[in-house]
Amino acid sequence: MEGVKYKLFRTALETLYFSGAHLMLRPLLGGVGTILTLHHVRPARRDRFQPNRLLEVTPSYFERVIRRLRRSGAQLVSIDEVYRRLKERDFRGRFVSVTFDDGYRDTLEFAYPILKNYEVPFTVYVATSFPDRVGELWWLALEAVIAQNELIGLRFDGRDRWFECRDVHEKRAVYDQIYWWLRQLDTEDELRHIVRELATRHRVDMAAFCADLCMSWQELSSLAADPLVTIGAHTVNHPILSKVSEKAVRSELENSRSVIEAALGARPEHLAYPVGDNTAAGPREFKIAAELGFKTAVTTRPGVVFRQHAKHLTALPRISLNGNFQRPRYAKVLISGAATGLWNRFRPISAA
Ligand SMILES: [Zn+2]
């Protein structure tokens, strides 16, 4: 999230919380339920340079959120149950569905014991190249290159450029500049090619992130054996789908489903789009996911679920438990839907 927007959002959260406005807005904006997005749940690290920190929360914060949800009377349900409720228009109770993207080992190590303890169903969306150990977690490779070097070289807009990143401020600025430049490239191929070259040049082993951070098929299969757990698809290679051809979108979705079925014995019926914001997945992807028979597909567009989403089952919004907002009162406001209502300027559906 860029600086100004981020500060505004934070101010909006504080204002909503302190004014109690989130309670007044609740009937209007609370929707019928919330799907939560998580990436990492793991103990905080001390490094000052953590550009991907928004993707992680601590186990103690996560447990507080789950306990609060249990006490709130919200119904903690699986993604299959979210589908059923939307399909059958059963909106008697407000639901919350917990989901994890990517298939990190800390989901098994830190989040699972908490969810098991509170008997909370949850979904893990797995990009199959990660347990296959050939995936490219390029955003982490970029982080590692910048963390480990004071000067980095890169072909940037067709010419060699050098970036000084000696202290944490420079590192943060360089990460943001390169990350967002990569994100606006026309194709996923260009993005991957540049990060691969950068990693090689600075001796960062991109393949190592899979083995270090992601669950193996064996770990996934032990998790999948629990009836609380749903395994969903998250493509094979984790590309930004809007930046690959239609044919590639189809094969990413179909192949990931077949690979998971072969490895774990059950065919995934639910999908999460990699990256998942409005620059990463749009109407073309929503249509393909529906045509391929996914019951639901989730984005990372922020928002709560409304009854109208019954007609947009492959474009469901989620709310991210963001590592930069780890205060219990933020979780309360976010889950009420008031904050993301502001974010979306009170439009209940964002499926365009
Ligand atoms: Zn992902």
Side-chain angles (χ1 to χ4, degrees), residues 39 101-102 234 238 274-275:
H39 285 84
D101 282 10
D102 300 341
H234 194 42
H238 204 273
V275 183

Side-chain angles (χ1 to χ4, degrees), residues 14-83:
E14 294 278 9
T15 312
L16 278 168
Y17 182 79
F18 290 115
S19 69
H22 67 287
L23 295 175
M24 289 178 343
L25 290 170
R26 192 172 170 146
L28 184 63
L29 296 165
V32 294
T34 300
I35 306 172
L36 287 178
T37 314
L38 289 119
H39 285 84
H40 293 283
V41 176
R42 63 184 174 191
R45 292 170 299 147
R46 301 181 74 129
D47 314 55
R48 291 187 59 218
F49 176 59
Q50 291 191 50
N52 291 295
R53 200 183 82 123
L54 75 166
L55 299 177
E56 62 184 89
V57 298
T58 64
S60 61
Y61 175 73
F62 182 61
E63 181 161 16
R64 276 206 304 273
V65 171
I66 295 297
R67 201 184 314 131
R68 185 185 284 272
L69 285 170
R70 267 278 175 251
R71 281 206 208 117
S72 76
Q75 295 162 356
L76 289 147
V77 305
S78 68
I79 196 75
D80 259 323
E81 175 64 9
V82 172
Y83 171 75

